[in-house]
Amino acid sequence: MDRYIPVLLGVALLLGAVGGYVVADGTPSDPPPLDDPQVERFEQTAAGCRGTLNPSGGTTVGPGGRFASFGAMDTDSPDANLAMGITRTSPDDARVTTYRVDLSSHARERNTTTTEDDCAGEVAYRLNLTVDYREAMRVAVYEDGEVTSCGGTGCTPIMADERPRWWANRSV
């Protein structure tokens, strides 16, 4: 029994040292809050009747939280204005920081002096953002409520619309 006393004393000293370190260092602190997203550029680059603009679009994600998206959005009129809003959809402490960009169209006042036929329109846009994130990020772009592009980690399920769904059927 006497030979175990030095071992028990060593274990007690080790536990005391670890406990003292935890008390002196404190509990792990919360990470600092994320910065607000910065809109570097949002512009309408062209407008016309539907089908007259190049429909190609794209999304790129760069270092330092840089995000760029461009495309052409269907509108009610070629004279429509676009509006943009960005929302962080993940909690502050999430490993993958997610953002949702909502683009919507708003019709301008009609010029009643023109004789051109009305047409359904489309407006081309370019969007550049800088977003803050922890370990990874994802930015999804929605045009009038429909997802149209995504950049970053975990975009495949969003673009493929593979979000979980639960169904219930009932007979009367």
Side-chain angles (χ1 to χ4, degrees):
M1 182 81 160
D2 289 337
R3 65 179 182 195
Y4 294 112
I5 291 178
V7 172
L8 291 175
L9 185 58
V11 169
L13 287 172
L14 181 63
L15 289 175
V18 169
Y21 174 75
V22 169
V23 169
D25 188 43
T27 58
S29 61
D30 291 333
L34 295 169
D35 292 334
D36 291 336
Q38 300 297 314
V39 179
E40 307 295 337
R41 176 193 292 181
F42 176 57
E43 65 181 339
Q44 293 181 201
T45 57
C49 290
R50 203 166 289 171
T52 60
L53 300 180
N54 182 352
S56 67
T59 300
T60 59
V61 178
R66 297 214 174 264
F67 173 84
S69 181
F70 61 94
M73 181 174 167
D74 289 342
T75 60
D76 290 337
S77 161
D79 294 326
N81 282 322
L82 297 185
M84 188 225 57
I86 182 168
T87 306
R88 189 174 64 236
T89 56
S90 60
D92 269 350
D93 59 350
R95 291 177 52 207
V96 177
T97 307
T98 59
Y99 294 90
R100 176 183 172 134
V101 174
D102 285 292
L103 297 174
S104 59
S105 62
H106 305 282
R108 292 183 185 162
E109 287 284 324
R110 291 249 184 235
N111 182 354
T112 57
T113 61
T114 62
T115 58
E116 295 179 15
D117 293 334
D118 286 340
C119 65
E122 62 184 347
V123 176
Y125 65 88
R126 177 180 294 129
L127 168 67
N128 292 68
L129 304 170
T130 301
V131 296
D132 196 7
Y133 61 96
R134 300 277 178 234
E135 295 177 29
M137 71 165 185
R138 176 179 66 231
V139 180
V141 177
Y142 290 75
E143 295 177 1
D144 285 330
E146 297 291 323
V147 66
T148 57
S149 67
C150 185
T153 302
C155 282
T156 303
I158 291 174
M159 294 305 294
D161 197 23
E162 293 176 3
R163 291 169 283 206
R165 289 197 174 109
W166 293 267
W167 298 90
N169 292 321
R170 182 174 154 222
S171 299
V172 180

